[in-house]
């Protein structure tokens, strides 16, 4: 396996261990959707992808670097 895949698996491990905590499949799916947005917006701190997010590497411009702002929350100061 690649280290990138191991990283994502590590991030999702707590979700997989606690999946019974969700009341329905819809709430579990909503959580996964938020996880995907967060992961694709976060900028890598090191390695060959340092300084860019997965969206930036793919050429996608969401209009902001703040994933919470995309969800409608006020921008952090």
């Amino acid at each position: 396996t690649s280290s990138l895949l191991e990283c994502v698996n590590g991030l999702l491990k707590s979700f997989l261990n606690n999946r019974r905590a969700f009341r329905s499949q819809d709430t579990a799916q909503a959580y996964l959707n938020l996880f995907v947005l967060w992961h694709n917006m976060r900028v890598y701190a090191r390695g060959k992808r340092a300084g860019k997010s997965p969206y930036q590497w793919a050429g996608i411009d969401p209009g902001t670097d703040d994933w919470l702002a995309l969800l409608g929350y006020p921008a952090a100061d």
Side-chain angles (χ1 to χ4, degrees), residues 34 37 41 62 64 66-76:
L34 284 173
L37 177 64
M41 295 285 299
T64 180
D66 187 359
W67 66 278
L68 289 172
L70 290 175
L71 295 174
Y73 289 95

Side-chain angles (χ1 to χ4, degrees), residues 10-59:
L11 292 169
L12 278 174
K13 190 176 202 175
S14 64
F15 167 75
L16 296 174
N17 288 336
N18 297 317
R19 69 184 179 273
R20 292 184 198 117
F22 295 105
R23 295 177 188 248
S24 69
Q25 186 175 357
D26 291 336
T27 56
Q29 185 62 55
Y31 177 85
L32 282 174
N33 293 346
L34 284 173
F35 176 83
V36 169
L37 177 64
W38 169 81
H39 174 73
N40 287 329
M41 295 285 299
R42 71 186 180 104
V43 175
Y44 292 107
R46 59 180 189 222
K48 67 181 180 182
R49 296 176 183 90
K52 289 191 174 184
S53 70
Y55 275 165
Q56 291 169 327
W57 277 100

